[in-house]
Amino acid sequence: MNSTENPVRIGVYVCHCGTNIAGFLDVAELAAFARGLPGVVVARDYKYMCSDPGQELIKQDIQEYRLNRVVVAACSPNLHETTFRNAAEAAGMNRFLVQIANIREQVSWVATDREEGMAKARSHIAAAVRRVAMHEALERQYVRITPRVLVVGGGIAGIQAALTLADAGREVILVERQPSIGGHMAMFDKTFPTLDCAACILTPKMTAVKEHPNIKLLTYSDVVSVEGSVGRYTARIRRRPRYIDEEACVGCMQCIEACVFTRPRFPNEFDQGLGYRKPVYVPFAQAVPPVPVIDPKTCLYLSRGKCTQTCVQACGERNAIRFDQTETIEEYEVGAIIVATGFKAFDPTPIRYYGYGKYPNVYTALEVERLLNAGGPTSGELVLRDGRTPKRVGIIHCVGSRDKNYHPYCSRVCCMYALKLAHLVKEHTGAEVYNFYIDIRAPGKGFEEFYNRVENEGVRFIRGKVADIRPASLVAASAEVAGGGNGQSDPPTATEAVQTATPATSPEAQPAQKPSAAPIEPLVVRVEDTLLGEVREIPLDMVILAIALEPQPDADEVRRLFGISCSTEGFFLEKHSKLAPVQTANDGVFLAGACQGPKDIPDTVAQASAAAAAALALIDAGHIELEPNIAWIDETMCSGCRTCISVCPYQAIRPDEERNIAVVDPALCKGCGTCVAACPSGAAKQYLFSYEQLDQELEGILSYV
Amino acid sequence: MSETSEKSFSPRIVAFLCNWCSYSASDLAGTSRIKYAPQVRMIRVMCSGRVDPTFILKAFALGADGVMIAGCHPGDCHYIEQNYKTLRRYLFLRRMLRQVGIEENRLRLVWASASEGPQLAQAINQFVEEVRQLGPLSWSQNWQENGQRQQALQAIVQEHESALEVLEK
């Protein structure tokens, strides 16, 4: 449109990006090529266009050469489009008269043949030049932001993010799926490397959440739908019935005592099934909110309709027990969302040679955390299932991590928590502790020192992957009958086992024949000690599997709910791994904690604070600028066929019956452009992606200059 | 591009990438330094639903040997469901291409999420190789030389007329 009034004057800027582009492409030649394109007044190449001097160059040229269009041939528009739009605007140009030609991500980094790369770069530049000539000045669009943040997940990440935002005076809705907040951290005993107790540092924060006037805590709830876009989301939250009125309950726990089940007899999920609970229970003593929950599957009244309801009598006048509670849906308007849904601990059952679930003395690290925890099922006493105290304990590292069959990535925290458990086991029981590791990764503040400390405490380290765990009797039997399978299908043969029984003085050389006083027999671990270069067999009373951190099983559904992506391993994908680590492709959605990838508590807290700050920066601006790429209908060309209405998923287009045309509501249009492609008469148009602009881009790209 | 002999034939391919998934996938392929065939030139659109079938026909008319559309996986569309509309148009357009004498395999629809840089690169390589096998398009020449395609055109005209007859009744 402008082009008819003023002649198009384009400046083309080819970025070297250090050697990222210039190391592969001849940038000077590209600039010379651009100079010959129609409408181009000036073309330059420069070391770093995005740097201050680079932007200054563009600004000066805009004024000196009276440029009215700018093309920057550089990195992806996702990185610096805004930078160059700002620069153009600062020089008095409309910010939407800028176009980026991506010659880094799409050319210099991916092409192998220089000539082919040059041809591709030329065609991308030609396309951008042709396209930008068709650009028109547009106004910036703004929407108001609802100054409220939804935090999804009440682990340490969600707690930290919620508290940071609430302390800044913003309203927070904190949603947690479980009956209590606290997440995995609440299950832990001590935290590495300082060994401060998890509960001591977590519970004050949990209480602060409950007491904060700016936080609305919704436990036992989940998000069912999110509508709208950045700045104005509508989240619908399902509140599952806990059958106890949170307002009326005072947390006296008398209902639990009064329950007709006199002893706890159902496995407590929070204790990993090692401890027991009643149908009415709190998952752990410090639960927040301190309100019991009734499990409808095990409660006699809720499952069978027959019970004397001693709990109701115990509750008395408070009348907090409400068997008639049903699921409700609540709706909240929020401006930003922080996703902090955490991780799932890897289930080692599929790794058959570790025998988890088969041999009772093989535990996961999370189970051992519960055993060591003073609030756990054994009140902090580390005992085996048969009540004995283990004398020889092995910790197997990288269970499910760094393993192509399960998760190829390193779970980052296992080495350190394994060292912590080694220390705690030794401290609690005085047992001999073995670590079977591939590499010890201790790359944090005070981590290496902690490793040294644990090593000095006499914990043994054996470098090698454990191949097999068997009960001692089986090993002894198979040693006698060479090749006797004994129902074990695992590959190592018994003959090897005999050879490796070294006559060394170390205790593992002695056969583990602590005879059958105890009902559960000890285990023998076979491992290749790669530092000694031999296979060893080590008898143990207890094996702890340092299990991986993996994405939540419903991560894919959650990701769709919030319109974000997952990386290949299934954790949520950040917008940029270095420069936007808490942002996502969906502008108002931020990430915190292990849902983005395995991380320890310090990193989680740091990231959660960062996510809170990013959300704060967004909502405190009061309004947000929208891309102006929405659709509009040219009234003079619209025939009123309503094709556009049928393809719009947002009901953003409605018919104007009187004039027999369609009208786009700019507040509802999200700018996909599907209606534009569908319109048979060319009446539907899209700013920044008009027919003419894309058509010229196509012509440019196929001009093969 | 003067050489079009089979050995040195380097196809001209245009790819329309949706901003949210596929363009990010191409960015990821770039930052991961995954090398792929350079013959594919990229055009960014906000959604694969923006890809007007006329762009594809125009691309062929301008000398493209193949056209690729890349969007978010079904169910993952940033705009809820617009990639399904792309899928519909794509299937329809392939039939139409066949009718006008263009091998339908010169048009390809690919789903690539933001994390699928390697997959996108692989899909591009595969497509480039397939188009290379098909050879240059040279659409206008084919029209004149190939009598069968003239028949195909007549069949379309007949079909159109019979459709109109039905309407008149």
Side-chain angles (χ1 to χ4, degrees):
Chain A
M1 285 202 174
N2 284 9
S3 54
T4 51
E5 294 152 22
N6 313 309
V8 168
R9 298 176 66 81
I10 306 172
V12 179
Y13 299 89
V14 183
C15 182
H16 297 198
C17 194
T19 56
N20 283 309
I21 295 171
F24 183 72
L25 298 172
D26 185 341
V27 284
E29 199 197 310
L30 288 176
F33 160 77
R35 244 169 253 133
L37 292 170
V40 174
V41 178
V42 58
R44 299 179 191 279
D45 58 279
Y46 185 72
K47 225 178 292 168
Y48 290 104
M49 286 314 309
C50 59
S51 67
D52 269 353
Q55 292 184 48
E56 207 49 49
L57 193 69
I58 298 177
K59 290 181 202 166
Q60 278 173 11
D61 279 0
I62 290 175
Q63 275 153 7
E64 196 179 328
Y65 293 92
R66 288 175 294 110
L67 299 179
N68 53 21
R69 300 286 191 284
V70 166
V71 167
V72 185
C75 54
S76 166
N78 287 333
L79 243 65
H80 280 306
E81 189 170 52
T82 315
T83 311
F84 296 117
R85 280 178 172 177
N86 289 343
E89 194 169 56
M93 233 177 76
N94 184 280
R95 61 192 283 108
F96 299 108
L97 299 174
V98 176
Q99 176 68 14
I100 310 289
N102 185 346
I103 59 166
R104 192 179 76 173
E105 279 83 351
Q106 291 181 345
V107 184
S108 71
W109 277 352
V110 292
T112 42
D113 183 280
R114 181 183 288 258
E115 266 320 298
E116 295 267 27
M118 282 297 284
K120 185 170 180 180
R122 277 195 290 264
S123 85
H124 276 194
I125 292 172
V129 167
R130 290 234 198 176
R131 185 194 214 275
V132 83
M134 308 308 291
H135 278 210
E136 19 181 69
L138 298 170
E139 276 180 35
R140 302 169 80 157
Q141 310 267 329
Y142 298 94
V143 285
R144 281 183 57 80
I145 291 179
T146 313
R148 190 179 297 125
V149 181
L150 171 69
V151 178
V152 187
I156 181 60
I159 290 172
Q160 178 69 23
L163 283 175
T164 309
L165 285 160
D167 286 344
R170 302 298 169 273
E171 274 182 66
V172 178
I173 316 289
L174 177 59
V175 179
E176 167 59 49
R177 175 150 63 179
Q178 301 295 332
S180 167
I181 56 171
H184 279 100
M185 186 174 170
M187 298 176 184
F188 302 156
D189 180 35
K190 298 274 165 53
T191 55
F192 62 80
T194 46
L195 295 176
D196 30 13
C197 97
C200 314
I201 52 179
L202 179 65
T203 43
K205 278 187 178 288
M206 289 165 60
T207 318
V209 165
K210 182 174 131 270
E211 269 155 28
H212 211 296
N214 290 338
I215 298 179
K216 184 161 181 66
L217 176 60
L218 307 175
T219 51
Y220 218 46
S221 308
D222 33 33
V223 182
V224 281
S225 76
V226 177
E227 276 161 22
S229 56
V230 52
R232 36 174 193 174
Y233 293 104
T234 306
R236 298 177 77 233
I237 292 155
R238 174 177 59 191
R239 310 213 57 192
R240 283 182 286 150
R242 67 196 297 154
Y243 302 107
I244 289 180
D245 187 337
E246 274 183 55
E247 304 291 316
C249 176
V250 293
C252 65
M253 311 293 164
Q254 280 175 14
C255 50
I256 301 179
E257 270 173 49
C259 179
V260 289
F261 287 97
T262 47
R263 285 190 24 233
R265 51 180 289 191
F266 304 102
N268 186 351
E269 297 81 358
F270 188 81
D271 284 333
Q272 305 298 303
L274 294 170
Y276 297 91
R277 61 164 174 80
K278 293 183 180 181
V280 53
Y281 68 103
V282 280
F284 57 105
Q286 301 80 15
V288 168
V291 176
V293 55
I294 299 177
D295 173 15
K297 284 196 196 102
T298 49
C299 170
L300 281 183
Y301 182 73
L302 287 170
S303 63
R304 296 183 206 172
K306 274 194 282 184
C307 182
T308 49
Q309 300 191 9
T310 43
C311 53
V312 177
Q313 290 158 23
C315 193
E317 279 179 7
R318 289 184 291 273
N319 201 15
I321 298 183
R322 302 279 165 80
F323 285 118
D324 57 349
Q325 251 185 16
T326 50
E327 196 175 283
T328 54
I329 301 279
E330 292 177 8
E331 237 179 59
Y332 294 92
E333 301 282 328
V334 295
I337 298 171
I338 295 176
V339 179
T341 50
F343 65 94
K344 175 181 166 285
F346 175 74
D347 173 10
T349 318
I351 309 184
R352 295 191 49 195
Y353 48 86
Y354 287 156
Y356 178 75
K358 184 172 173 189
Y359 306 131
N361 288 350
V362 179
Y363 292 81
T364 67
L366 205 49
E367 288 170 339
V368 176
E369 293 278 1
R370 291 313 296 155
L371 291 177
L372 289 166
N373 193 306
T378 56
S379 305
E381 231 185 297
L382 185 70
V383 288
L384 296 168
R385 284 183 220 267
D386 56 16
R388 286 182 307 139
T389 303
K391 295 202 170 59
R392 303 168 57 76
V393 177
I395 303 176
I396 302 179
H397 290 226
C398 297
V399 177
S401 315
R402 305 182 70 196
D403 185 336
K404 279 183 183 167
N405 299 314
Y406 303 98
H407 298 302
Y409 56 84
C410 165
S411 292
R412 278 188 65 184
V413 296
C414 323
C415 280
M416 290 310 294
Y417 79 59
L419 292 174
K420 172 194 75 182
L421 289 176
H423 166 85
L424 292 176
V425 166
K426 217 165 173 63
E427 187 182 71
H428 281 238
T429 63
E432 190 78 41
V433 181
Y434 293 84
N435 275 274
F436 306 100
Y437 69 100
I438 306 177
D439 299 292
I440 293 288
R441 296 186 169 175
K445 198 173 180 182
F447 288 10
E448 185 71 14
E449 293 85 337
F450 185 71
Y451 170 38
N452 293 334
R453 172 182 167 183
V454 172
E455 207 169 20
N456 288 334
E457 285 170 356
V459 170
R460 287 162 191 269
F461 288 86
I462 296 175
R463 190 176 194 275
K465 267 205 108 167
V466 170
D468 181 31
I469 299 175
R470 295 182 196 202
S473 62
L474 272 185
V475 176
S478 60
E480 282 160 26
V481 188
N486 284 325
Q488 280 278 321
S489 56
D490 293 320
T493 61
T495 40
E496 275 179 278
V498 180
Q499 288 162 7
T500 54
T502 50
T505 51
S506 57
E508 64 262 27
Q510 290 169 12
Q513 286 185 355
K514 281 275 165 65
S516 56
I520 301 175
E521 60 178 338
L523 302 163
V524 174
V525 159
R526 269 164 56 80
V527 57
E528 184 192 0
D529 189 326
T530 57
L531 297 181
L532 284 179
E534 64 185 31
V535 176
R536 292 168 73 175
E537 295 209 328
I538 298 167
L540 297 169
D541 299 322
M542 180 186 210
V543 173
I544 304 172
L545 305 178
I547 45 177
L549 275 56
E550 64 183 14
Q552 292 272 17
D554 58 351
D556 210 46
E557 290 154 47
V558 173
R559 160 183 90 75
R560 287 190 182 165
L561 200 57
F562 298 106
I564 57 179
S565 316
C566 284
S567 41
T568 36
E569 67 276 12
F571 291 106
F572 299 142
L573 185 66
E574 64 282 355
K575 191 173 186 179
H576 190 282
S577 58
K578 297 177 187 75
L579 301 177
V582 298
Q583 286 81 350
T584 64
N586 193 348
D587 271 341
V589 179
F590 303 92
L591 300 175
C595 65
Q596 182 259 341
K599 43 182 80 56
D600 59 14
I601 294 165
D603 284 1
T604 296
V605 171
Q607 197 193 23
S609 309
L616 199 59
L618 174 76
I619 61 171
D620 271 20
H623 56 75
I624 186 171
E625 188 190 338
L626 291 183
E627 279 289 290
N629 56 6
I630 54 169
W632 57 287
I633 307 272
D634 185 339
E635 295 179 12
T636 57
M637 292 173 78
C638 177
S639 65
C641 72
R642 304 187 183 187
T643 305
C644 52
I645 296 174
S646 71
V647 298
C648 180
Y650 302 105
Q651 286 87 46
I653 317 178
R654 47 182 182 76
D656 182 334
E657 303 284 357
E658 257 176 44
R659 292 187 288 167
N660 194 29
I661 56 166
V663 182
V664 177
D665 182 344
L668 294 177
C669 176
K670 300 274 188 296
C672 65
T674 307
C675 57
V676 188
C679 179
S681 50
K685 301 186 174 186
Q686 186 183 13
Y687 294 119
L688 284 181
F689 291 89
S690 72
Y691 179 83
E692 294 76 16
Q693 287 159 3
L694 289 173
D695 181 64
Q696 284 302 307
E697 190 170 0
L698 187 60
E699 295 240 8
I701 234 164
L702 282 167
S703 58
Y704 275 83
V705 271
Chain B
M1 281 311 304
S2 54
E3 286 278 306
T4 47
S5 70
E6 270 180 39
K7 273 182 192 170
S8 65
F9 171 57
S10 180
R12 308 170 178 195
I13 292 172
V14 180
F16 291 91
L17 306 180
C18 89
N19 180 57
W20 305 98
C21 294
S22 317
Y23 201 89
S24 297
S26 92
D27 277 353
L28 179 64
T31 46
S32 327
R33 312 294 199 276
I34 296 166
K35 308 295 176 194
Y36 59 86
Q39 290 86 351
V40 176
R41 315 287 196 248
M42 281 97 165
I43 293 181
R44 182 169 71 119
V45 284
M46 293 311 285
C47 178
S48 58
R50 176 65 186 94
V51 181
D52 191 327
T54 57
F55 290 147
I56 294 160
L57 294 174
K58 175 146 190 183
F60 285 125
L62 285 173
D65 300 302
V67 177
M68 176 184 262
I69 310 167
C72 310
H73 282 276
D76 284 0
C77 180
H78 186 79
Y79 301 104
I80 306 176
E81 55 182 26
Q82 304 303 63
N83 51 357
Y84 287 104
K85 282 148 196 163
T86 309
L87 177 63
R88 268 191 248 162
R89 283 181 197 150
Y90 165 75
L91 295 171
F92 189 62
L93 192 61
R94 273 167 71 95
R95 284 182 61 181
M96 194 175 142
L97 288 176
R98 200 163 54 207
Q99 288 177 331
V100 298
I102 296 178
E103 295 91 338
E104 57 191 0
N105 288 339
R106 291 187 188 273
L107 178 62
R108 172 68 48 88
L109 178 63
V110 169
W111 307 129
S113 77
S115 62
E116 292 181 335
Q119 285 86 341
L120 180 69
Q122 201 195 348
I124 287 175
N125 281 339
Q126 199 183 347
F127 185 52
V128 168
E129 197 39 54
E130 281 176 33
V131 174
R132 203 196 299 276
Q133 298 290 327
L134 287 171
L137 174 57
S138 54
W139 190 7
S140 50
Q141 283 168 29
N142 280 359
W143 271 110
Q144 281 152 12
E145 289 166 9
N146 197 327
Q148 282 186 338
R149 293 197 168 114
Q150 288 291 357
Q151 285 169 13
L153 182 65
Q154 280 168 4
I156 295 171
V157 172
Q158 274 173 11
E159 201 178 308
H160 185 66
E161 279 169 358
S162 59
L164 284 179
E165 277 168 25
V166 173
L167 274 182
E168 277 160 14
K169 280 175 197 167

